[in-house]
Amino acid sequence: MYELKTKETDNSVIEFIEQVDSPKKREDAYKLLDIFTETTGYEAKMWGPSIIGFGSYHYKYESGHEGDAPLVGFSPRKAKISLYFAPGETKREELLKQFGKHTTGKACVYINKVADIDIEVLKALINESVSFLQAMYLAK
């Protein structure tokens, strides 16, 4: 049986951020922590060893695979900062046009630093993702 690697843990978000090597990335992580907390109203939790997540939802695919995941989150990785939003959220592409300097993956948006992006658009992306997932999965 498949074991989900990214689970909510009791590890300290602050301790994790304090271990980020780059002082600039650490400063950006604190800025994002404030923005995500204020925008979602959820307390930050560690998911796996390196994702800071907000809220959670339970998903189940047609294949039978199921698990829990954060509604939104971020991770201050060495190369870039990963922002986690809902895959399939319909307004994401339109919002990203106004977001600033970034690249995208399936569920991730990658940025170099907070100064490269529009904070109001980030808040809109967070809100759209949370609303989308809550409507789709009746999140906790």
Side-chain angles (χ1 to χ4, degrees):
M1 176 105 180
Y2 176 80
E3 178 70 22
L4 198 62
K5 290 186 189 96
T6 308
K7 294 181 182 171
E8 187 178 318
T9 71
D10 291 329
N11 296 345
S12 167
V13 171
I14 301 300
E15 284 178 21
F16 170 70
I17 292 174
E18 284 300 317
Q19 292 171 3
V20 173
D21 287 339
S22 161
K24 192 74 186 126
K25 216 164 239 147
R26 194 166 43 246
E27 183 183 320
D28 277 350
Y30 279 118
K31 285 179 189 169
L32 290 170
L33 179 63
D34 288 345
I35 292 165
F36 275 78
T37 301
E38 180 184 306
T39 306
T40 65
Y42 290 107
E43 180 185 351
K45 300 276 187 181
M46 289 303 302
W47 285 76
S50 61
I51 296 173
I52 300 168
F54 300 82
S56 67
Y57 68 99
H58 186 80
Y59 61 86
K60 186 171 185 173
Y61 297 136
E62 287 180 18
S63 66
H65 173 77
E66 63 182 300
D68 295 302
L71 291 167
V72 289
F74 71 92
S75 183
R77 308 223 185 248
K78 275 195 190 331
K80 292 183 182 273
I81 297 170
S82 301
L83 306 174
Y84 300 96
F85 303 115
E89 196 283 307
T90 54
K91 295 181 182 162
R92 176 175 148 168
E93 290 308 312
E94 203 54 44
L95 286 167
L96 286 174
K97 290 177 185 173
Q98 309 157 40
F99 190 50
K101 189 176 173 185
H102 71 281
T103 56
T104 59
K106 185 174 180 179
C108 296
V109 175
Y110 305 100
I111 62 170
N112 290 317
K113 56 189 183 283
V114 173
D116 288 344
I117 61 168
D118 184 315
I119 300 302
E120 292 309 309
V121 176
L122 173 59
K123 290 177 182 178
L125 284 161
I126 293 167
N127 283 326
E128 287 297 329
S129 187
V130 169
S131 296
F132 175 80
L133 289 169
Q134 284 177 331
M136 193 164 169
Y137 294 100
L138 297 171
K140 303 180 215 173

